[in-house]
Amino acid sequence: MPSITTRPYPTEVCSTLEQAGLRPAWARLYAARGVSHPDQVAHRLPQLLPPTAMLNIDRAARLLADAIDARKALLIVGDYDADGATACALGVRGLRMLGARVDYLVPNRLEHGYGLTPDIVRIAAARQPDLLITVDNGIAAVEGVAAANALGIPVLVTDHHLPGDALPDAACIVNPNQPHCAFPSKNLAGVGVMFYVLLALRAELRRRGAYEGGAEPDLRVLLDLVALGTVADVVRLDANNRTLVAQGLARMRAGLACPGIEALFHAAGREPARATVFDLGFMLGPRLNAAGRIDDMALGIECLLADTPSTAQQLAHRLDALNRARRDVEAGMLDEALGILAHFSPSDSYSLTAYQPDWHIGVIGILASRLKDKFHRPAVVLAASESGELKGSGRSIPGLHLRDALDLVDKRHPGLILKFGGHAMAAGLSVAAGRHEEFARAFEAVVRGLIDPADLEGVIETDGELDLAEHCYELALELEHAVWGQGFPAPLFTGIFDVVSQRVVGDKHLKLTLSRDGSAFEAMRFFQSEPLPERIHAVYALMTNEFNGRRALQLKLQHWEPASR
């Protein structure tokens, strides 16, 4: 049973925020998340960090400007997840706006694997590019860049992943996480890095007189793509990323999103005019990711590049169908995994490794996430690839940096992991054929050395009790429209409630009426149909509910414990 804790906040900061004009509820929520001044949540574009602090970005701008002046052919090499797809579409759209001749190539997850490999370089070379540009990959592509160099094709790497021991010998690398980069935010997604490269390129073209007597291209039109990729990649939403996301959401709500994003909203049954971070992360992102998981991400990129609503709608409809197929595959794999783990005892293990040779490689990351959530253990899921090696995907819990853990496994057991990369919370890897049990033991040993038993106990952080007067539709709507995410969690509240009524709806959800201090509230417990006791200690979020034209407050019950009278 996870423990429920209340997120602390400095009272003096809370008072300062209130004096600056924030309502008490907002002042408390923001103070608990490290906000000390209202400007940190104003999310105005002039507040964005300037590109100049990013290592090599001026060199990248000159490289691209020279290529544009010489009418050289540029080829973007993307990635097959939502961040990679949005970064690729943003790169194509933005570079064309700035006068470049540019096309793209995206590896197929099942055929080519990740990143700028020598095989992808060979395929790219057939298109006779003068410059390769990676987005959301490339920092680990030592062999791929060497293959491109051997063919006389320079490479501009734009990436945000953590580098390995050696950097590729690229013509230029732009990555806020590379050594000696002083850019203050290390949390940009791949799409954010590419957006910054475009900002620097426009500044370079301005210096060269490209816009004398004419209007500059307005790169704000690309912020919808930046917002979608940033949220979907679950990067930390620091102040800079929150500004990018907030500005992108504002464009969506104003009807200014590109046709592909508009079409994805409609395919998901959502309204762009009411766009939220939830929509990007749980409705649009999975539909875009579905193409890369079980088909070809070129489909998703083409949707984001579509210039007409009709074309975008056709592509979005295909993405929606792929997402439904992905859910079916995922459900079957989860049932199999739980069967395999029927005798798994979390109390005896610090980690979890699951292997089945015929699992779908495109869905193992989602399965790892589901297992991590269920058992609150770092989870790695492995499946066999056509080459014979095992492809793996891992998800972690707070307290364990997954990429660093895999690095330790690699150092202690050379040759066991063939390659790996990723972040603190998610990583991909390849393991030598037939060595999944050896990997599981090695991973368990490393995890045991890196975290304490307390890290394995689930903790639900909340913002404590909310005054009854603050339980209103207006606050729920404001919370839904705010920018929350990794590192800046959405508010959860606690309280003791009497369960007045409850019934199952849709065969799998529990619809409730809860009462507290004489006030009654409608509530939902999604994907849980077991009846609740008469009195509960509830953890919940405020949400809006619209039905038959009526808009009302509803509580979204996230967790509960029995409460005594």
Side-chain angles (χ1 to χ4, degrees):
M1 180 73 71
S3 61
I4 301 171
T5 64
T6 298
R7 193 175 284 112
Y9 63 92
T11 55
E12 66 278 6
V13 172
C14 186
S15 298
T16 299
L17 292 174
E18 286 188 47
Q19 291 168 10
L22 291 182
R23 298 202 308 275
W26 282 101
R28 178 158 59 98
L29 294 174
Y30 282 145
R33 287 157 178 78
V35 174
S36 58
H37 193 279
D39 282 350
Q40 294 173 267
V41 288
H43 303 145
R44 295 185 293 263
L45 274 177
Q47 294 175 298
L48 279 180
L49 295 168
T52 49
M54 202 174 295
L55 183 65
N56 297 331
I57 201 164
D58 289 338
R59 187 193 310 174
R62 292 192 297 271
L63 184 66
L64 290 170
D66 289 345
I68 291 172
D69 289 343
R71 300 299 298 156
K72 290 184 176 180
L74 312 182
L75 184 65
I76 293 175
V77 178
D79 185 22
Y80 40 62
D81 67 359
D83 183 19
T86 52
C88 187
L90 177 139
V92 171
R93 284 186 175 276
L95 286 170
R96 286 176 180 171
M97 289 168 60
L98 296 170
R101 293 172 54 215
V102 60
D103 202 352
Y104 76 90
L105 169 67
V106 59
N108 184 291
R109 184 192 300 259
L110 304 181
E111 295 178 21
H112 308 118
Y114 170 77
L116 186 72
T117 62
D119 284 344
I120 287 297
V121 169
R122 187 181 68 254
I123 296 170
R127 301 195 190 183
Q128 298 182 317
D130 297 303
L131 175 67
L132 292 178
I133 306 166
T134 71
V135 292
D136 193 33
N137 76 95
I139 195 65
V142 175
E143 295 178 356
V145 170
N149 290 340
L151 294 173
I153 308 172
V155 180
L156 164 59
V157 169
T158 76
D159 200 354
H160 70 122
H161 293 95
L162 297 173
D165 295 334
L167 295 178
D169 186 22
C172 183
I173 299 175
V174 180
N175 181 339
N177 289 300
Q178 69 177 307
H180 312 301
C181 183
F183 191 71
S185 171
K186 304 300 182 182
N187 304 305
L188 285 174
V191 67
V193 175
M194 190 59 201
F195 182 70
Y196 265 84
V197 170
L198 293 176
L199 292 176
L201 171 58
R202 185 179 62 179
E204 175 64 21
L205 293 173
R206 183 190 304 131
R207 283 191 290 271
R208 297 186 183 197
Y211 308 121
E212 291 179 359
E216 293 184 358
D218 187 355
L219 297 181
R220 290 178 300 177
V221 302
L222 303 172
L223 285 168
D224 55 347
L225 293 169
V226 179
L228 175 54
T230 299
V231 172
D233 209 44
V234 202
V235 293
R236 186 177 184 85
L237 292 188
D238 59 15
N240 202 62
N241 275 341
R242 293 199 305 275
T243 296
L244 292 170
V245 172
Q247 290 290 327
L249 283 170
R251 295 191 65 83
M252 296 175 200
R253 293 170 190 152
L256 299 175
C258 68
I261 286 182
E262 288 264 351
L264 285 170
F265 268 101
H266 294 310
R270 310 292 284 190
E271 287 295 327
R274 302 178 66 182
T276 66
V277 170
F278 175 86
D279 292 329
L280 304 187
F282 294 95
M283 306 304 272
L284 275 65
R287 283 165 172 79
L288 195 56
N289 270 323
R293 293 191 183 283
I294 62 177
D295 198 298
D296 191 332
M297 186 46 96
L299 176 65
I301 295 170
E302 285 300 311
C303 180
L304 298 176
L305 290 175
D307 291 322
T308 65
S310 59
T311 300
Q313 287 166 12
Q314 292 174 6
L315 293 168
H317 179 74
R318 290 172 61 188
L319 290 170
D320 188 56
L322 287 175
N323 191 51
R324 289 195 298 271
R326 186 271 305 167
R327 285 199 297 256
D328 291 342
V329 171
E330 176 195 337
M333 288 171 54
L334 182 58
D335 286 343
E336 287 186 22
L338 294 177
I340 294 170
L341 298 168
H343 302 294
F344 173 76
S345 175
S347 61
D348 297 332
S349 303
Y350 279 50
S351 69
L352 187 161
T353 300
Y355 165 71
Q356 191 78 336
D358 60 352
W359 277 340
H360 197 297
I361 290 174
V363 187
I364 56 176
I366 300 177
L367 179 57
S369 182
R370 297 286 184 266
L371 295 176
K372 179 266 298 182
D373 290 342
K374 180 174 179 61
F375 295 103
H376 198 71
R377 296 289 186 277
V380 173
V381 175
L382 299 165
S385 67
E386 291 184 359
S387 66
E389 66 185 36
L390 308 182
K391 296 292 185 181
S393 188
R395 298 293 184 269
S396 194
I397 59 174
L400 179 80
H401 193 297
L402 186 55
R403 188 202 169 277
D404 288 354
L406 293 176
D407 187 46
L408 270 178
V409 173
D410 184 50
K411 286 180 168 61
R412 294 178 183 177
H413 305 268
L416 176 59
I417 299 179
L418 304 178
K419 57 184 177 180
F420 66 95
H423 304 288
M425 303 303 289
L429 66 154
S430 297
V431 175
R435 300 179 70 179
H436 55 279
E437 292 183 354
E438 183 182 350
F439 169 81
R441 291 191 296 269
F443 184 56
E444 171 72 13
V446 163
V447 173
R448 281 181 178 269
L450 292 176
I451 60 177
D452 298 320
D455 295 317
L456 303 174
E457 299 297 325
V459 175
I460 300 175
E461 273 196 317
T462 78
D463 293 283
E465 291 196 3
L466 186 67
D467 290 344
L468 285 176
E470 294 172 325
H471 286 75
C472 60
Y473 176 85
E474 291 72 23
L475 179 58
L477 186 63
E478 291 172 357
L479 291 174
E480 285 184 353
H481 279 71
V483 177
W484 314 103
Q486 184 73 21
F488 204 77
L492 290 174
F493 305 104
T494 60
I496 305 296
F497 291 87
D498 292 318
V499 179
V500 177
S501 67
Q502 54 184 314
R503 61 187 175 90
V504 177
V505 295
D507 296 326
K508 55 185 175 182
H509 311 300
L510 200 60
K511 185 174 178 60
L512 304 142
T513 300
L514 303 178
S515 174
R516 174 183 160 196
D517 296 335
S519 296
F521 303 97
E522 297 299 314
M524 289 292 298
R525 172 74 162 151
F526 291 106
F527 302 105
Q528 298 287 337
S529 58
E530 296 81 7
L532 273 57
E534 293 182 353
R535 191 170 174 84
I536 60 171
H537 181 197
V539 175
Y540 62 96
L542 299 187
M543 61 181 289
T544 61
N545 180 45
E546 184 172 350
F547 184 72
N548 288 337
R550 174 179 171 269
R551 295 179 177 179
L553 169 71
Q554 197 169 63
L555 308 187
K556 182 180 181 181
L557 189 59
Q558 302 282 68
H559 175 78
W560 64 270
E561 296 176 356
S564 58
R565 292 191 178 275

